[in-house]
Amino acid sequence: MTEITRTFAETRQRGRGRVGLVPTMGFFHEGHSALMAAARAASETVVVSHFVNPLQFNDRADLERYPRDLDRDLEIAREQGVDLLFVPRTEEMYPVEPLTRVEVARVADHLEGPRRPGHFAGVATVVAKLFAGLQPDFAFFGRKDAQQLAVVRRLVLDLSFPVTVIGRPTLREADGLALSSRNVYLGPDDRPPSLLLSKGLFAAADLAEAGHFEADELIEAVRRVGSGIDFEYVTLASQDTAQPIDRIDRPSFLALAARIGSVRLIDNVAFDLVAGNVVGDRGIRLSAPSRLYS
Ligand code: AMP
């Protein structure tokens, strides 16, 4: 039985045994459900935080139109056996104007960082508040946001939060498009070009697994498949630092951002080193339409 909690203190006090936290901004899709399932498998108490964090939006219009539906989210949390859905009011999260910001230098310097000024400081600050206020044993994040995962991992290392961070594969729609709450704003004409993003990344992953490790070649493959798409960037970066690298010589990810119609999409494939081999994590595809659309 999932219960909604509104305060840090109440949520913390109700945790029994190991606590697994899934931080979210709500409007759940299968990517969120998969994180909840992973948390359920590893923890006695599963807490999902649900807060559209104004600090991490650099664009006011994006914040205002971010989709919201708490009833629907509660239903999905119930299906996943979540114990506590922590839905803080703004007064709980920010009782006074926050003067402290957590800035993870360097990791935020490239990719999304310069394009969304203040975004990662907003993310790192709210995640630090959740870790401090809820004291979870585990925290689950999607690899879909690979740079965010790098920021969170570094924040935990640098500030000694006693939490184990777990990154999980990207969930994709049946046609390959990475699930995002913002996909509901893609129009019918936006669908065909949006599919070229994952198609290009998969082509690059095939190349990498065949021994082509040079960033230029992988980036070129993505740009070729997506010719006509206005990419903001296509970059190979290190998983640890999110710094651009020239070739796959460490755990890395090939990331892109592009605007399709009125929606800004990001996607990536991760490259892990498994027994000395480069293996692309292309994520997990749904076999049926996402419940985002039902
Ligand atoms: P959000 O609600 O968008 O802030 O996302 C909450 C968490 O879900 C973050 O850790 C995201 O990385 C993760 N997430 C978002 N989309 C996906 C996806 N398609 N697959 C896996 N995880 C995701």
Side-chain angles (χ1 to χ4, degrees):
M1 184 65 188
T2 309
E3 291 194 37
I4 290 181
T5 54
R6 294 285 186 181
T7 67
F8 282 109
E10 177 193 10
T11 313
R12 190 171 60 242
Q13 282 154 14
R14 293 178 64 165
R16 297 279 168 273
R18 281 167 306 183
V19 173
L21 171 67
V22 182
T24 80
M25 297 203 300
F27 213 74
F28 296 151
H29 51 64
E30 290 82 355
H32 299 104
S33 306
L35 294 176
M36 294 175 204
R40 182 72 282 165
S43 336
E44 276 77 46
T45 304
V46 176
V47 179
V48 175
S49 64
H50 183 294
F51 182 66
V52 182
N53 174 33
L55 274 194
Q56 73 189 67
F57 283 82
N58 48 318
D59 177 355
R60 213 189 147 72
D62 189 28
L63 169 64
E64 277 167 9
R65 82 163 189 170
Y66 200 83
R68 293 166 169 87
D69 188 341
L70 183 57
D71 291 339
R72 179 182 169 284
D73 288 345
L74 180 59
E75 176 74 29
I76 294 174
R78 287 213 165 108
E79 285 170 18
Q80 296 301 327
V82 169
D83 298 298
L84 304 172
L85 188 61
F86 173 47
V87 190
R89 297 196 170 83
T90 306
E91 306 86 80
E92 174 71 4
M93 203 52 127
Y94 300 114
V96 290
E97 180 197 350
L99 300 181
T100 304
R101 287 287 185 286
V102 179
E103 298 256 8
V104 182
R106 230 176 305 155
V107 186
D109 279 357
H110 298 275
L111 309 170
E112 292 297 289
R115 279 136 188 126
R116 305 182 67 187
H119 170 69
F120 286 118
V123 169
T125 303
V126 82
V127 169
K129 285 171 70 71
L130 291 169
F131 288 174
L134 301 177
Q135 299 175 6
D137 296 280
F138 307 114
F140 297 81
F141 291 86
R143 290 189 113 177
K144 156 94 188 329
D145 301 284
Q147 187 174 17
Q148 169 173 284
L149 180 57
V151 164
V152 171
R153 286 193 191 283
R154 192 54 184 248
L155 149 79
V156 163
L157 267 180
D158 288 350
L159 298 185
S160 307
F161 281 108
V163 57
T164 301
V165 174
I166 296 162
R168 303 285 306 165
T170 298
L171 267 284
R172 298 182 176 281
E173 301 197 27
D175 57 16
L177 179 66
L179 276 161
S180 163
S181 306
R182 294 183 175 90
N183 291 1
V184 295
Y185 295 124
L186 288 170
D189 294 347
D190 300 331
R191 205 77 201 178
S194 72
L195 298 185
L196 301 178
L197 305 182
S198 55
K199 203 169 165 216
L201 289 169
F202 297 161
D206 292 346
L207 277 173
E209 288 178 346
H212 301 267
F213 298 156
E214 296 302 318
D216 287 350
E217 197 178 341
L218 302 173
I219 291 165
E220 173 55 29
V222 172
R223 290 192 176 277
R224 197 170 39 229
V225 172
S227 65
I229 287 181
D230 189 15
F231 288 103
E232 286 186 15
Y233 62 82
V234 184
T235 305
L236 181 71
S238 148
Q239 282 183 27
D240 281 352
T241 63
Q243 297 281 305
I245 54 175
D246 293 336
R247 62 194 320 272
I248 304 176
D249 54 5
R250 70 199 90 177
S252 50
F253 61 99
L254 184 62
L256 60 78
R259 202 167 272 282
I260 309 269
S262 65
V263 188
R264 185 176 182 278
L265 297 174
I266 61 168
D267 198 354
N268 72 85
V269 284
F271 296 116
D272 301 311
L273 303 179
V274 181
N277 295 316
V278 169
V279 177
D281 179 354
R282 298 166 178 76
I284 298 168
R285 280 200 204 205
L286 300 179
S287 48
S290 167
R291 61 191 305 166
L292 268 180
Y293 308 106
S294 55

